[in-house]
Amino acid sequence: MGHWDGFKGNKWRTSVDVRDFIQHNYTEYKGDDSFLEPAAESTEKLWTKLQELFEVQHEKNGVYDMDNNIPGTITSHEPGYLIKEEEKIVGLQTDVPLKQAFMPYGGINMANHSLVANGYETDDEMTKIFTDWRKTHNQGVFDAYTPEMRAARKNKIITGLPDAYGRGRIIGDYRRLALYGIDFLIAEKKKDLSLIGNKVMTDDVIRLREEVSEQIKALGQIKEMATYYGYDISEPAKNAQEAIQWTYFGYLAAIKSQNGAAMSIGRVSAFLDIYIERDLQSGLITENEAQEMIDHLIMKLRMVKFARTPEYNQLFSGYPIWATLSLAGMGIDGRSLVTKSDFRILHTLTNMGPSPEPNLTVLYSSHLPEGFRTYSAKVAKESSSIQFENDDLLRANWGSDDCAIACCVSATVMGKDMQFFGARANLAKAVLYAINGGVDEKTRAQVAPKYRPMTGDTLDYNEFIERYKDIMDWLAELYVNTLNVIHFMHDKYAYEAPQLAFMESDLKRTFATGIAGISHATDSIMAIKHGNVKVIRDEEGFAVDYIPQNEFPTYGNDNEEADAMANWIVEYFMAQIKRQHTYRNSTPTLSLLTITSNVVYGKATGNTPDGRRAGKPLAPGANPSYQDGKFLGEKNGLLASLNSTAKLDYTNALDGISNTQTINPNGLGKDDTTRIANLRNVMDGYFDNGGYHLNVNVFTTDLLLDAQAHPEKYPNLTIRVSGYAVKFRDLTAEQQADVIARTSHSKM
Amino acid sequence: MGHWDGFKGNKWRTSVDVRDFIQHNYTEYKGDDSFLEPAAESTEKLWTKLQELFEVQHEKNGVYDMDNNIPGTITSHEPGYLIKEEEKIVGLQTDVPLKQAFMPYGGINMANHSLVANGYETDDEMTKIFTDWRKTHNQGVFDAYTPEMRAARKNKIITGLPDAYGRGRIIGDYRRLALYGIDFLIAEKKKDLSLIGNKVMTDDVIRLREEVSEQIKALGQIKEMATYYGYDISEPAKNAQEAIQWTYFGYLAAIKSQNGAAMSIGRVSAFLDIYIERDLQSGLITENEAQEMIDHLIMKLRMVKFARTPEYNQLFSGYPIWATLSLAGMGIDGRSLVTKSDFRILHTLTNMGPSPEPNLTVLYSSHLPEGFRTYSAKVAKESSSIQFENDDLLRANWGSDDCAIACCVSATVMGKDMQFFGARANLAKAVLYAINGGVDEKTRAQVAPKYRPMTGDTLDYNEFIERYKDIMDWLAELYVNTLNVIHFMHDKYAYEAPQLAFMESDLKRTFATGIAGISHATDSIMAIKHGNVKVIRDEEGFAVDYIPQNEFPTYGNDNEEADAMANWIVEYFMAQIKRQHTYRNSTPTLSLLTITSNVVYGKATGNTPDGRRAGKPLAPGANPSYQDGKFLGEKNGLLASLNSTAKLDYTNALDGISNTQTINPNGLGKDDTTRIANLRNVMDGYFDNGGYHLNVNVFTTDLLLDAQAHPEKYPNLTIRVSGYAVKFRDLTAEQQADVIARTSHSKM
């Protein structure tokens, strides 16, 4: 069979256009999950072996093995296998399963620190090379940082900056490799290169020309890497196995050479389904074999590991790497993009049990076929391993039905957008800076400019809000400038050639900022406005605590005023972000997303006027507060909480709004069928209502308490935290306590 | 004695201002050379040893020894000595005299090629490091080049591009190290860093912040390097020995870590003289000891060596490194800057014989004291090792009496200007492109756009000149854009931190372009205009030769029309250069300078309409043609030739106008006293007349013919070629032939 035999459409044949190929060739599936097959024998063997390795890894604190003297590149390692003869889809990051590569480009100190922290030796020669001769991203950033940037970082008003780790979140459109083969992609890139710049060699043109040359080199290396595994990927894939394998090779090149925080794989289900469907139709494979290949692909994604430092693990707990894989979604022509392979991929959570990775993400719409909506609700309920994003909002705001999620909630259009990812500003701490004249409440350092502090015994709303705006103005400016430094240096010292090689040469770049502590900022302002907040001062007159004397409306209870306040903060801050010069004139966006860093951020944030206690975790992402401050917390149940979140305006937070909810199974109904239907209905309503994202956990707090006490009983208990899933036992003790403290809704 | 005891003036004490220090403290010397002392015993010993090493080096084709696995950095080598106990001034590039360091940053291929070409092995580990992990300048440039740039380079319409070697020509103001000590300089750089950028982090601000951080690191490394030699350079120099040693350490850091084409040391004589004078006054040293220290410094500069490829040696023959040292000059207050140390430095050519390096350059003016003008004319006559530049033009055009020459004729203001150096455009070849519609006459490739060729049997002037302008427009644009790529990548991959560390943080940057073949371009146009040039075509109708049928005026004979034509070409081309966007918004300049590349350029250039034969060398720099074409050549003697050159407008060629002349001693007079006086008078007249530069050779062609036939008789015969001096025996056979073919003026 020729590689394109039987495929329809023309446009995609002569220039790279994967979406056009999909639209002409995919088979929408409106049925239920009854066609799904159990795990093949090979899958069982491989998964058993992998679980043994996972167990070793767990006993060794998350590190199976580490390299210390082979810088990870696309071609740096010999081929590696789990059980060679059983693997339908091959390719490991290093030569040994779960062994973590040595990746010094982001920063030799971090790479060495992660070695030492995990009991490995550093290599003197590598240290010399990446100190004296080859500068790293981290060194570049700190060379250019201003003292103000360092202070903001140190005092954690801006946190999680990707200056000590790879920025990640860049998704190559790896499907291109399967559809076109690597030779065509190289030829297209060469054509692009010939068209970059004309007559005037500005820095921008020169940089882009160099980058595309690097991409071409990376494509050549990927071709070489594939030969190590016995594959010639010059030409397009000829069947489903090759299509899956080629696609994975593209992704593999990225994870072999880059350790970005989030290494997402994008959206592959409808694409791969076309090949599977063709092979099924021609009798080349059975459904069992189709599921086998999908299971094997997913198993590979469960194995991705990067060397990290303890500090990093505290911020992003449980070793996430965000191999985010986006499923389903609607087409702009009204058909859904649901295929049998969307079912097959979700079915891996049954065949191989729950798993944090890949970060399975359903692009949801109430217009999706009921069979799929029901099945995804079922899997969510049973595994607590998947998340949902509002595909109606994605299509409307990104102008494409080929979006995928990078990391947790960040949308990009496959092959056309890249993101400059960047951390978050702590707007709960900013409330305290506004009160204390820019002095940090923890360190007492003057971090923001010497604005006038508030001196009254109680907090005056008008006085406060002017100061809060000044602080947000200052913070937005400093934040964007800090990210400008980071992305300049990242491009300079740790450019992601293998990802960008599978994207347009001159693409749209978004510049992602983020807010942490939105609920506490909102509730604090509501307290100041309505709660007659009494200020407690220390002997130096510094405000250290706040006692709201009256009740006040809070975010998360479907209260119009509080929810509008949350929106105002986001809108105001985003407007300040937009005013700034952004690196490469990228398009600024903003997220309400903390991942698990809410714990670390909270630890660095003093008492807040809403009644939250110093050091306690911030509510994650856009979640309402679940703290036990006198007037705090979600009091009106799941639907009120969802309504509040749904009111946040996505157009001001195009990098995503993260919402994590835990539902007591009994709150959903008496039996599984009812529970599944109710969960589906809740999602239909929430997303129709404009909600952007939902992490769904279905279990009781008691289960978590038992898992906390008896971790050995729950080796695979997987839960959704802010934006990703994690094995409960891999969370830090603090993170476990935070997750347990969160609201588990027992009423709708 | 405290380090600044007895020094006058204030401004220089609190912020870096070496010129202010000099102006307040130097002692002008108006006497003659009678105070000079012969070589000290230590000097004799060291020089004898060094000559032995030079002999070994000569036998080994210019390479005494080479490193292949220690990338040269400021601190990469153990200290090295010639004869440790005899050296008053210490410091070698590597740990062994004349051993060439391994410098891969410009390009690992070049570094390895120079190893292999000289019979050394390449190191696999180094090759891997600088191929897989640490990208080099050369690779970056070729990643960004356009096909048009590659074609222009390959066909040699643009030549000598610093894409395969370091750009050089950046002079740190190393005097700063002596005057202030390194701690103060570090503190000043930190202050600068705190003031770079405000509120908006553009790429320019980020880049400069990183660069200044790199400079601060380099200063720290220089401090460390000095400790290897037993010196603590934290504080200012306390005496003349330390002042010379500190200054040299600054320069040494540059030549240890950078292999730029021209590594000039700048202007140090009046500065060092202040310390010497203070020590002499206080009885700390004698004149003999003063000369000893100067001799030792100069000996160090004679030892500088870089690993080069055979291709590079063809272009710049005789291993020049342009340790250009600028002497004398006038002050803007009317005093001359001539000190006894200017005499002492010239006197090294007597104490240790003639030498190509350092490239001693007298900043000349008829207002300099007669004693010095006479002495410099004497040394020029006796050594043929020095060059002269018009200091009146420098002060008027650069606004400073603290200029120094980088390389041959490029002026910069010490510590305040840096140069982006860049090659030259062959405007003689451009004449042929204009005739042949952009097709290269050697390769028959279409290099320039497909302009209309000239098809007549003879060349019509008006037809030609429109085409020539089109070619120059195209060429200027392409040339500047090519240099933009090079300098972007040079800053990115081979930044000169140790040089820039001794300069202002945000300095003036010039963007140096150049013209090769000005005399042949001029004469060809004059031929077309007046000579009724008959075109000889091959069977394809392609113009391959030109026969001027009438006599025509040529450049170099003081003919107004021809000289004006030369000026028009320069003015027109420079105007096109100025129209372009230049990297970092640098200020474009232009030189008429070919160095010895006139031979290689000529080889690549076909027959020209002036009668020059294909493959024959172009006249170097701004020199008039000395070819034997029927109507070509300087026919009116030395003064007519100088008059023509002097008419070239320096304001259009601020990167310098190179003029090399050879005078038969008998043409200068009957005895040495007359000859010296006449040479001085010729220079007074030439420079008063607006001449910019003069390379003075005083010998007969017979001498050169004898040296060509019997090289062993003339191991130290040094001659001035275009912009530098060279040992005659080190020139390639082709270069020797060219030098012999040049006019030796026997009449004034």
Side-chain angles (χ1 to χ4, degrees), chain A residues 125-168:
Chain A
E125 183 65 11
M126 284 295 135
T127 305
K128 184 172 179 59
I129 291 170
F130 289 93
T131 305
D132 290 359
W133 304 330
R134 206 302 192 176
K135 192 168 176 176
T136 63
H137 168 54
N138 177 256
Q139 182 63 56
V141 169
F142 278 82
D143 277 354
Y145 268 174
T146 64
E148 193 181 26
M149 290 171 183
R150 288 168 191 253
R153 184 182 189 277
K154 190 175 167 190
N155 287 278
K156 306 204 168 89
I157 183 80
I158 307 174
T159 48
L161 290 163
D163 54 16
Y165 62 95
R167 60 190 169 194

Side-chain angles (χ1 to χ4, degrees), chain B residues 159-160 169 262 316 322 359 387 389 405-411 419 421-426 479 512-519 570 590-598 601 618-623 648 653 655-660 692-693 695 720-724:
Chain B
T159 47
R169 286 207 189 171
F316 306 132
W322 287 279
N359 183 19
Q387 64 175 351
E389 321 251 348
I405 300 300
C407 190
C408 315
V409 292
S410 302
Q419 183 185 75
F421 159 68
R424 37 207 71 84
N426 184 343
Y479 181 18
T513 61
I515 290 175
I518 184 67
S519 68
V570 177
L590 186 148
S591 68
L592 301 173
L593 166 73
T594 58
I595 313 182
T596 51
S597 60
N598 62 305
Y601 300 169
L618 306 180
N623 269 70
L648 291 169
D655 196 46
I657 299 164
S658 171
N659 186 17
T660 303
Y692 175 71
H693 167 257
N695 265 322
R720 299 290 313 176
V721 286
S722 181
Y724 67 103

Side-chain angles (χ1 to χ4, degrees), chain A residues 68-69 107 123 155 162 181 235 249 268 277 328 340 390 412 448 495 611 623 715 731:
Chain A
N68 75 345
N69 65 358
D123 182 89
N155 287 278
E235 295 291 310
F249 274 147
V268 299
E277 199 59 29
K340 279 186 172 172
N390 187 333
T412 51
Y495 180 71
N623 268 71
L731 287 171

Side-chain angles (χ1 to χ4, degrees), chain A residues 37-100:
Chain A
E37 290 279 331
E41 200 178 327
S42 65
T43 307
E44 297 285 2
K45 283 185 191 163
L46 289 164
W47 180 238
T48 302
K49 172 83 182 290
L50 183 54
Q51 281 188 295
E52 289 165 18
L53 301 184
F54 278 150
E55 211 47 44
V56 175
Q57 176 179 266
H58 178 71
E59 279 156 23
K60 294 171 80 176
N61 291 312
V63 178
Y64 183 83
D65 196 6
M66 293 177 100
D67 264 348
N68 75 345
N69 65 358
I70 304 173
T73 64
I74 298 170
T75 54
S76 53
H77 286 81
E78 298 290 302
Y81 301 91
L82 195 53
I83 304 170
K84 187 172 177 181
E85 59 277 16
E86 302 291 346
E87 293 177 59
K88 300 291 180 261
I89 304 299
V90 295
L92 298 182
Q93 288 178 282
T94 64
D95 50 346
V96 171
L98 303 184
K99 186 166 82 172
Q100 299 173 5

Side-chain angles (χ1 to χ4, degrees), chain B residues 35-55:
Chain B
F35 75 94
L36 291 165
E37 291 277 330
E41 202 179 326
S42 66
T43 307
E44 296 287 1
K45 282 185 193 163
L46 289 163
W47 181 240
T48 302
K49 172 83 181 288
L50 183 54
Q51 282 188 294
E52 290 166 18
L53 301 184
F54 278 151
E55 212 47 44

